[in-house]
């Protein structure tokens, strides 16, 4: 009696850096560099992941498969009083894939604008220690618990949107989030272009509209 074993091997190498001034609060506020101006922020990461699959789980798949997935992110932010201007670029590519590998834009999206937005932040808008922010432009979204809508962590490419997002957080940590966006369609779509990591810029959907309201009550979330 023989047993077929399906396994997936993933080796991940990740490097990152953060450079920001003493007063910057655009992204992660850790690893601050005191000698940098307070209005400037830069952040970047480069991830290399090797994946190997033995025995296909897809219905039409045959044999083994492999790929090297590379993802590079670079973000730059400028802060002026209550306003922030942020640009984030990404480069997602796949190499060493086999003939017939099911490549898609979930793996390949070379040299693309991930985020480019103007953000307004304000303290004490409705109550003391209440925090409010409004972002307009191209965005990535984290909604609620991130179960349905989230900025990708494991996947090689990002879901992006063009539109506006408003957040308000009370001093108790409760959060109200409202957004109205157009989903951005990733490119390229042709199989040969994906295999060759061809650069083709993404475009917002002209028909689909994605909007919603989310409210998080911190008192209902129990620590485990």
């Amino acid at each position: 009696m023989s047993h077929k074993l399906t396994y997936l091997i993933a080796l991940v190498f990740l490097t990152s850096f953060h450079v920001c001034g003493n007063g910057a609060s655009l992204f992660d506020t850790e690893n601050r560099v005191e000698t940098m101006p307070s209005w400037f922020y830069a952040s970047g990461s480069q991830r290399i992941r090797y994946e190997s699959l033995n025995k296909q789980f897809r219905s039409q798949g045959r044999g083994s498969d492999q790929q090297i997935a590379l993802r590079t992110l670079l973000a730059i932010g400028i802060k002026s009083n209550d306003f922030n201007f942020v640009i984030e670029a990404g480069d997602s590519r796949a190499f060493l894939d086999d003939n017939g590998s099911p490549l898609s834009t979930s793996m390949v999206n070379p040299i693309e604008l991930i985020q480019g937005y103007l953000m307004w932040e304000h303290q004490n808008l409705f109550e003391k220690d209440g925090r409010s922010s409004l972002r307009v432009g191209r965005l990535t979204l984290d909604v609620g618990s991130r179960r349905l809508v989230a900025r990708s962590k494991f996947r090689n490419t990002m879901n992006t949107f063009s539109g506006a997002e408003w957040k308000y957080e009370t001093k108790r940590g409760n959060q109200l989030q409202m957004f109205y966006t157009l989903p951005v369609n990733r490119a390229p779509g042709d199989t040969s272009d994906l295999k060759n990591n061809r650069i083709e810029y993404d475009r917002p959907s002209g028909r689909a509209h994605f909007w919603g309201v989310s409210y998080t009550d911190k008192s209902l979330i129990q620590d485990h």
Side-chain angles (χ1 to χ4, degrees):
M1 181 177 180
S2 62
H3 297 273
K4 292 185 177 180
L5 177 64
T6 300
Y7 63 85
L8 174 66
I9 298 175
L11 300 177
V12 181
F13 301 92
L14 175 65
T15 60
S16 62
F17 72 88
H18 301 271
V19 178
C20 64
N22 189 37
S25 61
L26 301 182
F27 303 98
D28 184 6
T29 56
E30 297 179 356
N31 303 318
R32 290 177 175 173
V33 179
E34 299 295 335
T35 57
M36 296 298 296
S38 61
W39 50 267
F40 179 77
Y41 181 93
S43 174
S45 67
Q46 208 289 319
R47 185 182 70 185
I48 303 174
R49 184 171 68 213
Y50 172 74
E51 301 175 341
S52 178
L53 174 66
N54 179 51
K55 305 296 183 183
Q56 290 283 347
F57 61 88
R58 299 178 178 88
S59 60
Q60 302 299 322
R62 293 184 179 181
S64 61
D65 204 351
Q66 65 177 351
Q67 77 168 4
I68 294 179
L70 279 73
R71 188 179 75 180
T72 304
L73 299 174
L74 177 63
I76 296 175
I78 297 175
K79 180 178 178 66
S80 176
N81 297 323
D82 291 341
F83 290 93
N84 303 320
F85 179 67
V86 179
I87 291 180
E88 181 182 22
D91 185 75
S92 300
R93 300 172 186 250
F95 299 95
L96 205 65
D97 48 288
D98 295 339
N99 291 329
S101 293
L103 290 178
S104 69
T105 54
S106 66
M107 308 168 192
V108 177
N109 192 211
I111 306 182
E112 187 56 52
L113 178 67
I114 304 299
Q115 297 193 101
Y117 62 81
L118 181 66
M119 178 168 67
W120 172 74
E121 293 180 304
H122 191 71
Q123 301 284 341
N124 308 318
L125 182 61
F126 297 120
E127 64 175 350
K128 185 178 180 180
D129 298 326
R131 297 185 298 174
S132 177
S133 67
L134 174 66
R135 297 192 299 162
V136 179
R138 180 169 290 191
L139 321 165
T140 59
L141 293 175
D142 283 326
V143 178
S145 65
R146 304 182 71 253
R147 183 178 179 86
L148 299 178
V149 182
R151 179 184 169 96
S152 302
K153 292 185 177 180
F154 181 82
R155 201 182 67 192
N156 212 40
T157 60
M158 298 281 184
N159 290 333
T160 59
F161 306 86
S162 290
E165 176 205 44
W166 179 70
K167 283 184 178 181
Y168 179 75
E169 184 174 341
T170 69
K171 61 182 179 181
R172 294 184 177 87
N174 300 335
Q175 186 180 93
L176 174 65
Q177 180 181 12
M178 305 172 67
F179 57 91
Y180 187 91
T181 66
L182 302 177
V184 175
N185 296 323
R186 291 189 301 272
D190 185 77
T191 302
S192 62
D193 291 340
L194 289 166
K195 193 170 185 63
N196 294 319
N197 294 294
R198 180 175 177 269
I199 299 172
E200 183 178 338
Y201 296 116
D202 302 346
R203 298 179 182 275
S205 170
R207 297 182 179 180
H209 296 245
F210 181 59
W211 59 274
V213 178
S214 171
Y215 180 74
T216 302
D217 190 332
K218 198 172 182 180
S219 65
L220 300 178
I221 302 175
Q222 297 181 356
D223 296 330
H224 296 281

